[in-house]
Amino acid sequence: MRTHPQLARIPAMLVSALAFAAFGAAAQPATSAPPMTAAELEAGKKIYFERCAGCHGVLRKGATGKNLEPHWTAKGADGSMQEGGTLKLGTQRLERIIGLGTEGGMVNYDDILTKEEINIMARYIQQTPDVPPEFSLKDMEQSWKLIVPVAERPKRQMHKVNLKNVFAITLRDAGKLALVDGDTKEIWQILDTGYAVHISRLSASGRYVYTVGRDGLVTLIDLWYETPTTVATVKLGADARSVDTSKFKGFEDKYLIGGTYWPPQYSIMEGETLKPLKVVSTRGNTVDGDYHPEPRVASIVSSMIKPEWVVNVKETGQIMLVDYSDIKNLKTTTIESAKFLHDGGWDASKRYFLVAANASNKIAAVDTKTGKLAALVDTKKIPHPGRGANFTHPTFGPVWATGHLGDAVVTLISTPSEKASDAKFKTHNWKVVQELPMPGAGNLFVKTHPKSTNLWADMPMNPERENAESVYVFSLKDLNKAPVKIDVAKDSGLPQTKALRRATHPEYNEAGDEVWISLWGGKTDQSAIVVYDDKTLKLKKVITDPRIVTPTGKFNVWNTQHDIY
Ligand code: DHE
């Protein structure tokens, strides 16, 4: 059968980068699943990986998204649509869910996928899941490219760009990273990276940017060249989300750690070359005591007070403190928290790491000094902090903020402080002290800055266009006041498109007086980065260019290097 023209538009580069060929033998349709041609199966496999696996898991056991195994997606072998009193989904219902989304938080795909693609996906997820191959240290070594050895790199910064105010910006569907000069707001360089770079992190030195693509490709970019240059790449596996360097004194940038969704493991590399050194599986038991075959590595952060990384394992709900002082004799502390661990950030003191256990509607706080769980805080539905935001609340002292995908609030949690002047706030510690009402659910990221009196919150996953395309700004001086709405799509001056132009990921500049918002449009639409003055909330600049497509995360060098949020 001929591939649908929409599918033929997907660049061949992405297909090979995603290594779908490596996903093993073609899936064998379960006896009850609707038939599919080999071309449809391949298309389904590719779309599932790009759009669905992040939430539902490669093995479709479910995490942020529901379980999608055939026992309840497909008809029984006898044609029955019931299993133990549960109504099975079947093609028509699945098509509706994929197209229109659900109230449970599943986004609608009718503006991203064609009708035919939606039909393919509805049939694909009734088939037995494909089990991708493992990825060993040897596979990493074979993928490793040291493009410029350390000795051949510049000995000093070869330009006058203010590196502290450079922004690394993911161009998601283009598989690229834009480096934008924050002072001039000019695009400095656009580089090829892995597909849909999820995060960029900075070296402790501030010289190197590390990106990790959804396809598991880590790219090491040297900012000292006349124009930023990729000096090494390595593949971690088939599907990844997180990286960080070693930041403890004496170990600065000696190592890099990367976490993968598939295979479920983390890998340790040399920080300046990406030479693979060690792979550690995260397979094991959940906090409930059940074995899980796919415990994916979610957020990772490097401690400044010990030679340790905090590695959050999604499906098991276990937080691992990985001591990198002797990687041949690796010691890890495993801290029980709750499921499913996702994203998170430091409190203001940088002693506690707060991470969303999103399916449990909790925030887990780990004390990196004692190596123990400090608290499990109940919150509203599906907390999604990004890295969160820290500020001093007028009544409750130091707080850390998280937004929610599943509820219309921003939650403020009191965090401990060793300052004598904060002793009076101790009784509030690890309690939700305030919930700031938002106009709807669907928040992904909140942000503030020590020099700012504002708290910015996006809501790109809200189903209403006017909400998804706007951001909301709370005044820290009066948190009882409703937030100011800013219509980012309108301010961009770009024409309205069929696809939503989601306003997302507020990021401050180095000075803390500007906020940059990504306007994340359709994969073929020109998008923009819209810059606001933080004090006046007035539009300052629209950075747009035909190459700016699907911008998502933005990482200011100084703020990322120093965990300022
Ligand atoms: Fe993310 C952070 C996983 C969907 C943009 N995202 C993270 C982190 C994880 C994660 C584990 C924390 C990394 C760290 O700190 O080490 N994200 C996932 C998913 O599993 C999920 C739900 C589905 C998927 O298939 O990936 C998902 N994420 C998205 C998006 O749809 C976003 C908006 C656009 C995209 O690129 O796909 C998106 N995620 C981001 C960004 C961050 C992030 C920008 C970094 C936030 C920060 O400020 O540090």
Side-chain angles (χ1 to χ4, degrees):
M1 190 191 140
R2 220 165 52 85
T3 308
H4 187 275
Q6 183 77 11
L7 299 177
R9 282 213 314 261
I10 297 166
M13 178 274 284
L14 293 186
V15 181
S16 61
L18 293 168
F20 277 94
F23 262 49
Q28 294 302 312
T31 46
S32 58
M36 293 184 79
T37 64
E40 286 173 336
L41 278 171
E42 276 309 301
K45 202 186 276 188
K46 177 170 170 10
I47 296 171
Y48 185 81
F49 176 80
E50 286 182 359
R51 305 280 172 193
C52 320
C55 292
H56 299 280
V58 167
L59 304 179
R60 293 196 232 135
K61 297 215 170 277
T64 315
K66 287 211 178 341
N67 177 300
L68 292 179
E69 288 176 298
H71 66 85
W72 82 286
T73 56
K75 277 187 204 164
D78 58 357
S80 79
M81 284 300 283
Q82 291 269 341
E83 192 197 66
T86 310
L87 190 62
K88 288 163 177 270
L89 290 167
T91 308
Q92 277 183 354
R93 217 168 132 210
L94 283 167
E95 279 180 323
R96 272 180 68 81
I97 293 173
I98 298 167
L100 303 177
T102 66
E103 285 187 352
M106 158 104 179
V107 292
N108 59 304
Y109 279 93
D110 57 356
D111 64 343
I112 294 174
L113 302 177
T114 61
K115 269 202 172 128
E116 186 174 350
E117 285 172 321
I118 290 174
N119 171 268
I120 286 175
M121 291 318 292
R123 286 181 291 137
Y124 179 74
I125 56 179
Q126 297 178 62
Q127 318 294 323
T128 305
D130 296 300
V131 181
E134 301 298 318
F135 204 79
S136 65
L137 185 65
K138 205 159 166 213
D139 295 320
M140 277 184 80
E141 283 163 354
Q142 280 167 3
S143 75
W144 177 45
K145 291 192 187 122
L146 181 59
I147 301 161
V148 189
V150 178
E152 291 167 28
R153 295 180 198 164
K155 302 284 176 281
R156 61 183 172 82
Q157 194 176 311
M158 306 297 285
H159 53 76
K160 296 224 159 58
V161 174
N162 171 16
L163 279 190
K164 292 177 183 168
N165 202 27
V166 165
F167 286 71
I169 304 176
T170 298
L171 302 177
R172 189 189 184 283
D173 291 27
K176 292 183 194 288
L177 184 82
L179 290 146
V180 177
D181 180 336
D183 290 355
T184 62
K185 303 189 175 50
E186 299 290 329
I187 297 172
W188 184 22
Q189 175 78 305
I190 294 187
L191 288 168
D192 287 333
T193 53
Y195 169 65
V197 159
H198 217 84
I199 62 166
S200 292
R201 292 291 186 248
L202 264 290
S203 62
S205 66
R207 168 180 179 172
Y208 295 109
V209 175
Y210 298 87
T211 68
V212 61
R214 188 174 285 252
D215 56 357
L217 189 75
V218 174
T219 306
L220 170 53
I221 299 162
D222 187 349
L223 300 179
W224 275 12
Y225 279 89
E226 190 76 28
T227 50
T229 300
T230 298
V231 291
T233 61
V234 70
K235 220 160 144 45
L236 302 177
D239 192 358
R241 296 290 181 284
S242 46
V243 277
D244 208 353
T245 59
S246 50
K247 291 198 173 136
F248 185 64
K249 206 163 179 301
F251 290 89
E252 291 94 337
D253 303 330
K254 185 167 183 202
Y255 300 121
L256 183 80
I257 183 171
T260 33
Y261 269 18
W262 191 272
Q265 59 197 28
Y266 62 86
S267 313
I268 301 174
M269 295 144 271
E270 276 182 7
E272 291 196 322
T273 63
L274 304 185
K275 181 178 178 207
L277 299 174
K278 197 173 186 91
V279 174
V280 182
S281 172
T282 49
R283 287 194 174 97
N285 290 68
T286 70
V287 284
D288 305 325
D290 301 323
Y291 176 76
H292 201 292
E294 192 192 351
R296 298 174 290 168
V297 176
S299 44
I300 301 183
V301 77
S302 182
S303 167
M304 303 292 273
I305 57 175
K306 281 186 189 176
E308 280 181 353
W309 290 298
V310 182
V311 176
N312 297 287
V313 185
K314 188 183 282 291
E315 279 76 6
T316 56
Q318 311 276 11
I319 303 171
M320 299 168 92
L321 301 180
V322 178
D323 177 343
Y324 53 72
S325 59
D326 179 1
I327 65 161
K328 283 277 175 213
N329 301 285
L330 199 70
K331 288 195 210 77
T332 59
T333 305
T334 305
I335 300 169
E336 282 182 30
S337 67
K339 296 187 295 192
F340 294 109
L341 297 175
H342 193 70
D343 52 354
W346 292 110
D347 75 315
S349 73
K350 300 202 170 69
R351 169 173 169 176
Y352 301 95
F353 187 74
L354 293 95
V355 54
N358 58 20
S360 310
N361 305 324
K362 288 184 198 303
I363 293 290
V366 55
D367 181 347
T368 58
K369 196 163 166 189
T370 61
K372 292 189 172 156
L373 188 74
L376 263 183
V377 184
D378 287 311
T379 65
K380 290 265 159 65
K381 233 172 138 191
I382 322 182
H384 191 284
R387 282 168 288 167
N390 289 292
F391 61 93
T392 303
H393 189 286
T395 318
F396 300 107
V399 292
W400 177 87
T402 177
H404 292 256
L405 257 167
D407 217 316
V409 290
V410 171
T411 300
L412 308 184
I413 297 171
S414 157
T415 54
S417 160
E418 277 162 28
K419 282 191 209 150
S421 56
D422 289 335
K424 56 183 177 291
F425 303 122
K426 208 171 162 35
T427 53
H428 303 300
N429 288 172
W430 304 126
K431 291 186 183 137
V432 173
V433 292
Q434 193 172 358
E435 286 169 339
L436 310 176
M438 285 281 283
N443 165 271
L444 283 184
F445 303 108
V446 289
K447 197 62 64 79
T448 187
H449 187 278
K451 290 189 187 143
S452 170
T453 55
N454 287 327
L455 173 68
W456 294 64
D458 64 8
M459 44 194 307
M461 296 305 164
N462 189 277
E464 301 298 328
R465 181 180 280 268
E466 65 158 318
N467 284 331
E469 296 189 342
S470 300
V471 291
Y472 289 83
V473 187
F474 293 91
S475 166
L476 301 184
K477 289 183 187 153
D478 185 359
L479 286 161
N480 296 319
K481 235 169 63 185
V484 174
K485 177 184 177 185
I486 297 183
D487 188 335
V488 183
K490 187 166 159 234
D491 287 346
S492 76
L494 292 170
Q496 187 170 320
T497 48
K498 182 179 170 234
L500 285 180
R501 296 167 298 168
R502 302 176 200 272
T504 193
H505 203 249
E507 176 77 343
Y508 277 84
N509 63 343
E510 181 213 352
D513 59 7
E514 280 172 6
V515 177
W516 294 37
I517 312 280
S518 300
L519 191 66
W520 169 22
K523 61 184 174 190
T524 53
D525 301 326
Q526 182 168 331
S527 283
I529 306 297
V530 186
V531 182
Y532 292 93
D533 183 295
D534 182 54
K535 267 212 170 67
T536 62
L537 307 187
K538 294 254 169 353
L539 175 68
K540 209 164 167 185
K541 174 96 183 168
V542 177
I543 303 169
T544 185
D545 183 281
R547 293 169 298 170
I548 301 283
V549 284
T550 57
T552 51
K554 298 169 299 310
F555 303 89
N556 170 272
V557 165
W558 181 258
N559 295 336
T560 310
Q561 184 188 352
H562 297 281
D563 294 302
I564 298 171
Y565 37 81

